[in-house]
Amino acid sequence: MTVMVTGGSRGIGLAIAQELAKAGHQLLLVARNARRLERAAHAIRETSAAEVQYLTCDLASLDDIEKLHTACVAAGFRPNVLVLNAGLFIEGSLMESSDAAFADSLNVNLVSMYRVVKSFVRSLKAMNGSRIILIGSTGGFEAYPGGALCGVAKWGVRGFAVNLRHELMGAGVGVTLVAPGGTLTDAWAGEEIPEGRLLEPADIGKLVAATLTLSSQAVVEEIIVRPMLGDIRA
C-alpha cells in the first residue's frame, strides 16, 4: 500500500514508518524538519527495500497542508493510507496556560488531522482498501494532569475518529483510532524513568502495521495500549 505518515521523522511516527517499511509498503514521510526527515528516510532505507519519499510540511499551516496535497500529486504519490501522527505536547494546566497555547495545541493535534483528511478524502474514496489511522492517546479517555491541553485535543481526536468512521464507512474507507499510553519518546527527555516502564515506539508501529494485514472488509475501530504498570500521571 502507499502510506503517508505525518510526524514521521522521529518517535512514534518513525517507528510506525519502520514497521510499515518492513511489511513492504511504499512510504511518504511528512514533518517540519527537513534534516530529520532525511535522516529518517536514510535509516529506513538501510534496513528495508521499501520505497521512501519525504516532504516538509508545517501541519499547523493551512497553506502548507494544501501544498502537501499538490506536492503529492506532482510526485505521483497517491496514498491510500493516511497515518496521522503529528502532534504537539505543551505542559501545563488548562487554567494556567495561555489562550495561544490552547489554540496551538488544538490546531496541531486536532485541526491538522481534519484538514489533511479533507485534502485527501476524494482520492481515498476512489481507491480500494483505503484507511485512515489517527494516533490519539489514552489522555483522550480520562483526565491528563500535567498535559491537559494535549488531553483536551486528544478527546477531540477521539470524537473525530468516531464521527469520521461513521461518515466514511459507506465509501469503503476505514478509520482506526490508536490510543497509546506513555511511550518512550523525546517527550520524556530529562525524566528519570525506570527501564521498561513505558511503551516502546515500535509497539505502536507493530499495531498499526497489523491493522493493514486484515481483509478489506475488516476495520479495527479502536486500539488502546498502555504500559504494563499503567500510565504515569503527574
Side-chain angles (χ1 to χ4, degrees):
M1 303 181 85
T2 53
V3 187
M4 184 173 77
V5 182
T6 68
S9 65
R10 59 179 177 168
I12 291 175
L14 176 56
I16 290 171
Q18 289 170 324
E19 293 298 327
L20 293 176
K22 291 177 186 177
H25 299 292
Q26 182 181 350
L27 299 176
L28 174 69
L29 309 183
V30 176
R32 290 184 300 175
N33 189 296
R35 186 171 297 178
R36 284 179 182 154
L37 277 171
E38 184 178 3
R39 286 200 299 262
H42 179 71
I44 292 171
R45 290 174 185 140
E46 282 193 324
T47 57
S48 76
E51 182 179 340
V52 186
Q53 301 179 57
Y54 59 90
L55 288 170
T56 57
C57 177
D58 181 358
L59 292 170
S61 165
L62 179 57
D63 287 343
D64 265 25
I65 291 173
E66 291 175 349
K67 291 175 184 176
L68 173 63
H69 183 264
T70 301
C72 284
V73 173
F77 189 91
R78 193 181 180 199
N80 57 357
V81 179
L82 303 180
V83 179
L84 305 184
N85 162 78
L88 173 68
F89 179 80
I90 301 174
E91 190 173 359
S93 69
L94 287 175
M95 295 298 98
E96 294 176 355
S97 297
S98 68
D99 292 352
F102 184 74
D104 286 345
S105 180
L106 287 178
N107 200 29
V108 175
N109 291 310
L110 174 59
V111 177
S112 70
M113 288 188 175
Y114 168 75
R115 288 171 169 171
V116 171
V117 171
K118 285 197 75 173
S119 293
F120 287 89
V121 70
R122 182 176 296 179
S123 61
L124 290 172
K125 288 179 178 180
M127 291 182 282
N128 294 326
S130 293
R131 295 289 182 266
I132 299 169
I133 300 171
L134 308 176
I135 307 302
S137 166
T138 54
F141 291 80
E142 57 200 25
Y144 194 169
L149 297 183
C150 184
V152 170
K154 295 300 185 179
W155 276 85
V157 171
R158 183 181 171 202
F160 180 49
V162 169
N163 286 278
L164 191 63
R165 163 70 177 136
H166 180 75
E167 286 192 16
L168 296 183
M169 63 172 61
V173 180
V175 177
T176 300
L177 172 68
V178 180
T183 306
L184 189 58
T185 65
D186 292 347
W188 294 91
E191 300 286 342
E192 294 185 6
I193 305 295
E195 185 177 355
R197 179 63 180 86
L198 299 174
L199 298 170
E200 295 291 338
D203 294 329
I204 317 307
K206 291 171 183 176
L207 288 172
V208 170
T211 68
L212 300 182
T213 65
L214 305 180
S215 62
S216 60
Q217 66 267 28
V219 179
V220 178
E221 294 184 331
E222 190 171 272
I223 298 173
I224 302 172
V225 54
R226 299 179 192 267
M228 178 60 70
L229 296 179
D231 280 327
I232 299 174
R233 296 298 190 215

